[in-house]
Amino acid sequence: MPRPAALPRALDAPTPAPRTARPHEAAALAALSRPFVRSGALRERPVSLYAAHAADFLVLEAPDGTLDGCVGLRAYPTDAREDGELAGVVYNFCVAAHRQGSGAGAGLLRAALVTARARSLGSLFTATTGSAGLFLRHGFTPTTAHRAPRSWAKSLDPRRDARVLIRTW
């Protein structure tokens, strides 16, 4: 009887739980993001921004200490509501090429959703130039930038033609 094929190493290895990035990892966050910036999937951000907003980022750390993925989550006041409700924005979401297809991205997104709920964010927005498949599978739906927090929506570059998505609870 033939044996099943061995799983690729990335699928065989357990995925560590995401954790919050540390300010000293700013250069590593920028390096992880660089291939996605070059492809046009992400906007370029200076290392200083990663350092200043390290607490926004959830990261996956490889056994050797390198970063295999990251996702930013920032809270914004919702403009249309007067009850002080906050909305979240998922940004700078990337997974190293050798971890893509391993479930690492899904794990990062699930961690961001858990964090958003724990922080009582009423809705979660993102903008993507990709297929949006992962977001759609996790309950995001297409929306317009007009529903998003104004300061974030104004920062979107219309030349990128990104799709805006929302996830509500």
Side-chain angles (χ1 to χ4, degrees):
M1 181 167 184
R3 291 180 172 218
L7 288 173
R9 186 76 182 118
L11 294 178
D12 194 26
T15 300
R19 64 164 176 80
T20 303
R22 299 172 186 113
H24 73 271
E25 294 174 309
L29 288 166
L32 178 65
S33 303
R34 200 165 292 120
F36 299 92
V37 170
R38 282 194 291 265
S39 75
L42 289 178
R43 292 187 297 179
E44 187 165 11
R45 293 174 170 87
V47 172
S48 61
L49 184 137
Y50 289 107
H53 296 285
D56 283 1
F57 287 90
L58 296 172
V59 297
L60 284 179
E61 184 177 356
D64 67 1
T66 60
L67 298 184
D68 279 348
C70 69
V71 62
L73 173 63
R74 184 172 302 159
Y76 289 84
T78 52
D79 305 310
R81 303 283 305 262
E82 295 179 14
D83 61 5
E85 181 178 275
L86 295 176
V89 171
V90 170
Y91 70 101
N92 205 101
F93 186 14
C94 57
V95 175
H98 70 276
R99 290 299 308 271
Q100 291 181 13
S102 71
L108 274 170
L109 185 55
R110 280 191 302 273
L113 292 171
V114 167
T115 301
R117 298 265 328 238
R119 292 173 62 187
S120 299
L121 302 179
S123 53
L124 201 53
F125 292 87
T126 196
T128 182
T129 58
S131 71
L134 181 63
F135 291 109
L136 296 171
R137 286 191 300 278
H138 283 84
F140 283 80
T141 57
T143 191
T144 65
H146 299 293
R147 292 187 61 197
R150 188 175 302 127
S151 60
W152 175 74
K154 286 171 55 175
S155 75
L156 296 174
D157 183 349
R159 296 171 295 183
R160 293 175 48 81
D161 198 29
R163 293 172 60 188
V164 177
L165 306 170
I166 185 174
R167 168 77 153 78
T168 57
W169 318 117

